[in-house]
Amino acid sequence: MQQNAPQDALEKLSRFRGDFYHCLSGREDALFELADALLCTDGPVKTLVDLALAPEHRRGHGALYGALNKGSLDADRLRRTLAGTPLPRAADGRLVLAVDVSPWLRPDAATCSDRSFCHTYGRGDAKHQMIPGWPYSIMAALGAGRTSWTALLDAVRLEPGADLAAVTTRQLREVVERLIAAGQWRHGDPEILVVLDSGYDAPRIAHLLGKLPVQILGRLRSDRVMRRPAPSREQFHLAHPAGGRPPKHGGEFVFGDPATWGAEQAVTTTDTRLYGTATARAWDRLHPRLTRRSAWTDHDRPLPLIEGTVIRLTVEKLPSQGVNRPVWLWWSGTDATEADVDRCWHSFLRRFDVEHTFRMLKQTLGWTRPRLRSSQAADRWTWLVIAAHTQLRLARPLAVDLRRPWERRTEPNKLTPARVRRGFRNLHAKVPSPARAPQPPRPGPGRPPGSKNRHRASRHDVGRVLATGEAHARPTHHKKGTKPRRTG
């Protein structure tokens, strides 16, 4: 079985390369060789034109830019191909998906269309900044342990003024349907767990995805207020003999007021190597009090009660941080056991593996390096980078560690994506390339010497709305001298 493992991995890699080539419908040879050059180039990608100098790219630099600007790619077919690849799973065998927004910043690109204000973190006093760019909602499958590997499944560019929750819900629904169609989830398997950060409305997304076999786990702000279930009719009449209208919501659960917490549903304590003792406390059947504003303005039915489990995670120590703040999580499941609580907070920690993937895409593969003018060309380049990262993941069992003299030795099955890419050129000779040989070039006449460009590119203003659809304004809780808000 172990002897056939390398051969099976080589067949899976070759099959994916063939499927990826068939997803390219215009200038497919130039696009495919561009992805190969991205994989085989030594060191981080600094500029896009440098990839034309790689031996794997047999065409000139004009064909490189022409393929990105004029080529075509069937993104839906590539999404189905990614869903059919081997995916990492959690310890209990379930699929764990993470979705997050990563910006491609273009602050000085006045000729680029479809730019939005992207939320970024700076340094010093300007920690929260809004910079023009292209925000991408990226979804990936997570593994069980600490690793820098994730399986990228989808990427959607957020249009100016888009509703982040609506786009994420549609993206999640389509990804889950593709996973079911590919046989990654079957009836009787554990439900798919979706992990979100604090920028998402987890209860609303859980309500919109209620008919799918998914569970939502999201982080909540520390100033939230939840409500308990309403008392039964018998309990209400005992407390109010005079009668009256029964309440729809129960008592408040204020995150910042321990006096309102009450007894826990489950409590777990785990000794970790990095964080020391981690304590998770869970309270069952808590829901937010919804109002007919913001996302629920157009809801023509009675507002729902979205019940879930609130988990408070505290650790003994945090690396390189002086303030040890608790983490509040909301899980769409109810009647949580100790095993459920442990699985939830461990899965939330695995969400940070996506940050390693973003750093790999940007710093090594050069995802945000090209200065492309068209947003459609940016989408094609994004899918090429995702396809290249997938090939690195499939080539992981085949890679040999080509370490530098100052680097530590690493076992072959524990190589990072950058170390696998370092030896991909050796694997490139073992896998077939469906790209056809280039034809002899015929240079065009070009612009006559001394002539001026009479066709100036159009200038586009950045929309004064965020990707969430709200007007661009500095949040109140980010201003100095203001108290944290109290949200329900």
Side-chain angles (χ1 to χ4, degrees):
M1 195 69 170
Q2 296 293 334
Q3 296 179 357
N4 296 331
Q7 184 64 27
D8 295 341
L10 189 63
E11 292 178 357
K12 293 177 182 178
L13 177 60
S14 301
R15 188 183 309 113
F16 176 80
R17 288 172 59 84
D19 295 339
F20 170 57
Y21 180 79
H22 292 302
C23 296
L24 307 174
S25 54
R27 307 202 181 192
E28 58 274 10
D29 299 321
L31 289 174
F32 189 86
E33 290 190 356
L34 177 58
D36 280 352
L38 180 63
L39 287 167
C40 300
T41 301
D42 295 333
V45 177
K46 298 297 184 180
T47 59
L48 185 61
V49 72
D50 286 342
L51 298 177
L53 303 178
E56 292 75 15
H57 192 275
R58 298 175 293 177
R59 291 161 171 82
H61 63 279
L64 183 150
Y65 285 102
L68 286 179
N69 293 325
K70 301 297 183 180
S72 58
L73 183 147
D74 191 348
D76 293 336
R77 183 171 181 177
L78 183 54
R79 288 185 175 102
R80 293 191 296 268
T81 302
L82 294 173
T85 59
L87 300 180
R89 295 177 180 268
D92 58 351
R94 77 173 64 228
L95 286 170
V96 180
L97 306 180
V99 58
D100 202 355
V101 175
S102 184
W104 183 342
L105 302 181
R106 301 301 309 275
D108 300 329
T111 59
C112 293
S113 60
D114 302 331
R115 289 186 303 164
S116 303
F117 282 100
C118 306
H119 182 267
T120 59
Y121 287 94
R123 297 190 179 187
D125 295 336
K127 291 184 178 180
H128 301 276
Q129 300 179 357
M130 306 302 297
I131 300 178
W134 292 316
Y136 279 85
S137 177
I138 299 179
M139 188 171 299
L142 307 179
R146 296 173 55 193
T147 179
S148 56
W149 288 95
T150 62
L152 298 176
L153 296 175
D154 193 16
V156 175
R157 177 171 50 84
L158 300 177
E159 299 288 345
D163 186 354
L164 180 59
V167 173
T168 304
T169 302
R170 183 171 61 253
Q171 186 181 14
L172 278 170
R173 181 180 293 108
E174 293 175 354
V175 168
V176 171
E177 291 175 352
R178 287 194 294 267
L179 292 176
I180 296 176
Q184 301 286 1
W185 186 90
R186 295 181 176 86
H187 183 71
D189 294 344
E191 291 185 330
I192 301 174
L193 182 63
V194 180
V195 186
L196 308 173
D197 203 2
S198 58
Y200 295 86
D201 190 352
R204 181 189 174 194
I205 295 178
H207 173 70
L208 297 176
L209 297 177
K211 297 182 179 180
L212 291 178
V214 297
Q215 297 177 355
I216 304 299
L217 176 65
R219 184 175 180 177
L220 300 179
R221 293 178 51 87
S222 59
D223 57 358
R224 290 295 298 267
V225 177
M226 290 287 177
R227 293 300 186 102
R228 302 183 185 277
S232 62
R233 186 174 296 273
E234 293 76 9
Q235 295 175 349
F236 173 75
H237 286 303
L238 290 177
H240 303 275
R245 180 181 177 182
K248 186 177 179 181
H249 308 279
E252 290 186 344
F253 184 95
V254 185
F255 287 7
D257 187 5
T260 62
W261 296 351
E264 304 91 344
Q265 172 77 12
V267 181
T268 63
T269 303
T270 307
D271 293 330
T272 62
R273 180 180 62 87
L274 186 61
Y275 304 103
T277 303
T279 304
R281 306 168 63 187
W283 291 268
D284 192 29
R285 297 191 179 280
L286 298 178
H287 64 272
R289 185 178 180 273
L290 305 179
T291 57
R292 291 193 178 277
R293 60 182 181 181
S294 185
W296 302 97
T297 304
D298 299 332
H299 193 77
D300 54 353
R301 299 180 180 180
L303 295 177
L305 295 179
I306 311 173
E307 292 187 337
T309 301
V310 172
I311 302 174
R312 183 178 186 268
L313 175 64
T314 57
V315 296
E316 184 179 358
K317 58 181 180 180
L318 287 177
S320 68
Q321 290 191 13
V323 181
N324 192 352
R325 298 175 180 174
V327 175
W328 291 92
L329 305 175
W330 185 88
W331 178 49
S332 60
T334 55
D335 299 329
T337 62
E338 295 182 357
D340 294 332
V341 175
D342 279 339
R343 182 178 66 253
C344 286
W345 74 264
H346 278 97
S347 299
F348 178 77
L349 293 184
R350 297 279 62 78
R351 193 206 69 83
F352 294 98
D353 297 340
V354 181
E355 305 297 336
H356 297 285
T357 301
F358 291 159
R359 183 167 60 248
M360 172 68 185
L361 298 182
K362 294 183 178 181
Q363 298 182 3
T364 303
L365 297 181
W367 171 37
T368 57
R369 287 290 182 175
R371 297 296 180 256
L372 301 174
R373 178 182 298 175
S374 171
S375 57
Q376 290 75 21
D379 294 342
R380 297 187 194 100
W381 173 248
T382 300
W383 282 113
L384 290 183
V385 173
I386 292 177
H389 185 272
T390 304
Q391 293 185 57
L392 292 178
R393 181 171 59 87
L394 297 177
R396 184 184 182 187
L398 305 171
V400 179
D401 187 17
L402 303 178
R403 69 181 185 91
R404 303 289 190 258
W406 55 85
E407 295 176 343
R408 295 181 179 180
R409 295 184 181 274
T410 306
E411 298 181 9
N413 59 344
K414 294 185 179 181
L415 295 179
T416 61
R419 299 279 277 267
V420 173
R421 177 175 177 263
R422 190 180 297 172
F424 193 86
R425 176 166 286 172
N426 299 332
L427 297 174
H428 184 264
K430 301 179 181 180
V431 292
S433 177
R436 295 165 293 186
Q439 299 296 328
R442 181 179 301 175
R447 184 186 302 171
S451 63
K452 297 182 179 180
N453 183 15
R454 300 181 182 276
H455 302 280
R456 292 192 60 189
S458 303
R459 266 56 179 173
H460 303 275
D461 294 332
V462 184
R464 298 301 296 178
V465 291
L466 308 181
T468 57
E470 301 174 356
H472 171 52
R474 185 175 179 84
T476 305
H477 60 278
H478 292 170
K479 299 179 181 179
K480 295 183 179 180
T482 58
K483 298 181 179 180
R485 61 178 182 176
R486 186 176 183 268
T487 58

